[in-house]
Amino acid sequence: VTEVVGIRDEIVGKLEQAMAEHGLDALVATSPENVAWASGAAPPSQKTVRSRLAAAIVPRHGESELVAIALEGPVVRTQSRLNSIRLYEEFVEDPVLVFADSLRQRGLDDGAVGIEETHLSYADHEKLAAALPAARLVRADELLAELRMVKTPAEIEAIRDIGAAAERIAAEVCDRFGAGSTEREIANFVAERYAEAGGDGLTMLVVGSGPRSAAVNAPPTGRTLEPGDMLRLDIIGTKGCYHSDVARTAVVGEPTAEQQEVYDLLHGVHRRCLAALRPGVLTSDVYAIYHQAMDDAGLPPYHFVGHGLGITLHEDPFVNALSATPLEEGMVLCIEPLTLLEGRFGVQIEDEVLITADGYEPFTEAGGLTRMAS
Amino acid sequence: VTEVVGIRDEIVGKLEQAMAEHGLDALVATSPENVAWASGAAPPSQKTVRSRLAAAIVPRHGESELVAIALEGPVVRTQSRLNSIRLYEEFVEDPVLVFADSLRQRGLDDGAVGIEETHLSYADHEKLAAALPAARLVRADELLAELRMVKTPAEIEAIRDIGAAAERIAAEVCDRFGAGSTEREIANFVAERYAEAGGDGLTMLVVGSGPRSAAVNAPPTGRTLEPGDMLRLDIIGTKGCYHSDVARTAVVGEPTAEQQEVYDLLHGVHRRCLAALRPGVLTSDVYAIYHQAMDDAGLPPYHFVGHGLGITLHEDPFVNALSATPLEEGMVLCIEPLTLLEGRFGVQIEDEVLITADGYEPFTEAGGLTRMAS
């Protein structure tokens, strides 16, 4: 309970301050990530049935409100940290008109209202504008992304917790499985352990063995591991809305000289990227370390080497050639050098870190190439 | 391969005819469901990273094209049935401008272009309109939903196949598990069997035992089944983009008189709703059968008793009080009478059926209340 209150106070405080700075009277967050961030609630079917919209309505002054579908009232009631909850009946009420009504009741129907232009559909935007003819709808997408970049202490603990669990599970996979195991058996084991660690579920699980270790986002199949296979494992899921994203690469039995060499090279690059992390450093400069090393080694680079991690899997700041975002204390990043030798094998080493005042603190920490039983 | 070709020809044919009837020169489908329906492709991260847009671009005359993110090229290449594939580099190219360019190359930049106003974000709509100043962007949401309502023969086979697998798995759960099992063990078993049946994965799995059987959309927990518990199981997942949605309710050991009575009542309502299905009947009239029976019995009704099933879990036609859609041959529906006695137990009986020329054909068929081992 202490932790939940901590998250609320910090985030509502950030929102109120940001609205004052940007001349906004209210924010209407509608994307699943910003509803979860602002309110703590994640209506389960919001992502699966697009018409089941939810909104976190946060005025600069006064009482905040979560709007959600009535049939998920019992779920969101246990999650929301906003002052009130307003439920709408599917098919009977239009959620966008309920958002408008909630603003009207707060006297904000002629205010400057921050909305998510990259989430709200064109049709819903037109409906909201028509329902609130005196309001000024203002794009708040970038503002929300920026606010979410630097994590609060309670958010940091939530991410650290499930990230550490993902790392333990990956280590356990390397210990328990080997030649003769199937990718599917490994996937079932990961899912079970992830649930035991309190995870909500896996949003994407990569289990790619042999040549499949070189396929992007490879889901588990019935393929059986053989001696000499590389295994690439990427454990992506959530606990209480916050993501884990930890990848490990192992070998079944003894590696070839090339497998060992590519792994060691990636691991060296990984450590150099990590050593560069501190406030003020540009994300594009971290990417340059990786890209240069791949070029020097004649290995195919990937188009990014890291990303922010939080309620969404990939969020600002992006660590690629094009995003020159200065690092700040309190950001949580994944650093994940990757190379995919198509049809042969792939290597990926992904750790989660927190940017601190003078460098970084690892949440997870990959070691050398692990041998699985052959 | 025959099956895939079958799906293509039928769907492209439907699209071309619809565009001719509605005076459209092209369709730009951008929602995951309509991209999958029109092209066969489901770029894996389209649903998890919102900026990774994809589009199925289908002109009334000429060559169709799938636009997708480059890193998922290898995946979509094996799935797409459109004439060409155009890949964009994340961060380097803006997908919406690539859609515009694809239309321009087809000479359609001054045509009537059907778009999905309830999917395309306000920001992306503005960007597309600015990139194609001579084009007329026309709302095609309702048209696409209507076209998708009546399934093609190949679609019907795809849904029948994974629906039958879900029913078998539910029966196997009732056979193998009982008092002393946990919801999580059941969930792991279902996930494993579903993958063995060729499923892509479960999008939502309800395993609610005891009082949890009365909770909407209850995910599995560590709760142990006890004699006298009701178990509600709802197996929702996809195989090759098409959904299964089959729910069963069982009891651990011997039911109380009330449990048996409520189950039998729901089962009777279920059979009466099914018996009413035939072309021309209004969905609201089917709902009325359920709602009246619940009222007569003093049981809490749910706000719908069925829905169309296909690439999305809930799609037109909806079987509720407000949607008076006449049934048509070739529709695939779930019929799922449900009652939730909060804090005590819930009963749900859900089957999948195909509307035929003179009635319906069941894909799955629930029987009486199953006893699990106590």
Side-chain angles (χ1 to χ4, degrees), chain B residues 6-7 27 71 92 101 116 197 221 234 245 258 280 300-301 307 364 366:
Chain B
I7 291 183
L27 273 169
L71 65 89
V92 179
D101 197 56
E116 295 187 68
T221 67
D234 195 351
D245 186 7
E258 187 196 18
H307 53 84
T364 67

Side-chain angles (χ1 to χ4, degrees), chain A residues 264-309:
Chain A
D264 290 345
L265 193 133
L266 266 281
H267 194 230
V269 171
H270 188 48
R271 299 184 66 84
R272 288 209 300 288
C273 288
L274 291 171
L277 302 176
R278 82 184 66 86
V281 167
L282 299 182
T283 51
S284 47
D285 289 341
V286 179
Y287 182 75
I289 296 171
Y290 161 72
H291 197 272
Q292 184 62 53
M294 294 290 101
D295 273 3
D296 291 347
L299 290 171
Y302 205 62
H303 67 301
F304 62 85
V305 75
H307 53 84
L309 181 76

Side-chain angles (χ1 to χ4, degrees), chain B residues 228-311:
Chain B
D229 277 351
M230 293 292 259
L231 176 74
R232 191 162 65 83
L233 193 64
D234 195 351
I235 302 182
I236 300 169
T238 63
K239 175 177 179 177
C241 295
Y242 286 87
H243 270 90
S244 72
D245 186 7
V246 177
R248 294 287 179 262
T249 304
V251 65
V252 181
E254 283 305 308
T256 63
E258 187 196 18
Q259 286 169 337
Q260 184 71 56
E261 197 179 325
V262 172
Y263 186 93
D264 290 345
L265 193 134
L266 267 282
H267 195 232
V269 171
H270 187 49
R271 300 183 68 85
R272 288 209 301 286
C273 288
L274 291 171
L277 301 177
R278 82 186 66 88
V281 167
L282 300 182
T283 51
S284 47
D285 289 341
V286 179
Y287 182 75
I289 296 171
Y290 161 71
H291 196 272
Q292 185 63 53
M294 293 290 101
D295 272 2
D296 292 348
L299 289 171
Y302 206 59
H303 67 301
F304 63 85
V305 77
H307 53 84
L309 182 74
I311 291 180

Side-chain angles (χ1 to χ4, degrees), chain A residues 43-44 66 68-79 85 87-88, chain B residues 216:
Chain A
L66 175 75
I69 191 166
L71 66 89
E72 290 173 346
V75 176
V76 297
R77 240 185 267 284
T78 65
Q79 299 173 326
I85 293 180
L87 303 174
Y88 65 85
Chain B
V216 173

Side-chain angles (χ1 to χ4, degrees), chain B residues 277-346:
Chain B
L277 301 177
R278 82 186 66 88
V281 167
L282 300 182
T283 51
S284 47
D285 289 341
V286 179
Y287 182 75
I289 296 171
Y290 161 71
H291 196 272
Q292 185 63 53
M294 293 290 101
D295 272 2
D296 292 348
L299 289 171
Y302 206 59
H303 67 301
F304 63 85
V305 77
H307 53 84
L309 182 74
I311 291 180
T312 53
L313 175 61
H314 286 184
E315 58 187 41
D316 287 326
F318 287 89
V319 188
N320 61 31
L322 303 163
S323 308
T325 311
L327 295 179
E328 289 177 60
E329 186 177 355
M331 288 177 170
V332 174
L333 299 182
C334 288
I335 299 292
E336 52 168 326
L338 168 68
T339 195
L340 302 173
L341 306 176
E342 209 181 316
R344 301 176 58 225
F345 66 88

Side-chain angles (χ1 to χ4, degrees), chain A residues 111-175:
Chain A
V113 178
I115 56 155
E116 294 189 67
E117 287 193 355
T118 64
H119 175 264
L120 205 61
S121 75
Y122 177 74
D124 288 336
H125 184 278
E126 299 298 282
K127 211 183 284 169
L128 188 63
L132 298 170
R136 193 161 55 89
L137 302 184
V138 180
R139 178 173 173 128
D141 301 68
E142 287 72 17
L143 173 62
L144 285 162
E146 193 189 314
L147 289 174
R148 273 179 33 225
M149 265 204 298
V150 173
K151 270 60 184 176
T152 65
E155 289 186 289
I156 289 167
E157 284 322 299
I159 303 170
R160 187 203 309 268
D161 172 58
I162 190 64
E167 181 178 47
R168 280 195 308 273
I169 294 167
E172 227 186 319
V173 165
C174 296
D175 246 23

Side-chain angles (χ1 to χ4, degrees), chain B residues 77-148:
Chain B
R77 241 185 268 284
T78 66
Q79 299 173 327
S80 178
R81 303 180 307 255
L82 300 188
N83 295 115
S84 63
I85 293 181
R86 178 156 171 189
L87 303 174
Y88 65 85
E89 294 290 338
E90 188 175 25
F91 308 125
V92 179
E93 294 170 281
D94 185 310
V96 174
L97 301 184
V98 176
F99 303 164
D101 197 56
S102 174
L103 287 166
R104 207 175 292 123
Q105 291 190 348
R106 282 161 178 68
L108 296 166
D109 47 334
D110 60 352
V113 178
I115 56 157
E116 295 187 68
E117 288 193 355
T118 65
H119 174 262
L120 205 61
S121 74
Y122 177 74
D124 288 335
H125 185 277
E126 298 298 283
K127 212 183 284 171
L128 188 64
L132 300 170
R136 195 160 53 89
L137 303 183
V138 180
R139 179 174 172 125
D141 302 66
E142 288 71 17
L143 173 61
L144 286 162
E146 193 189 316
L147 290 173
R148 276 183 29 227

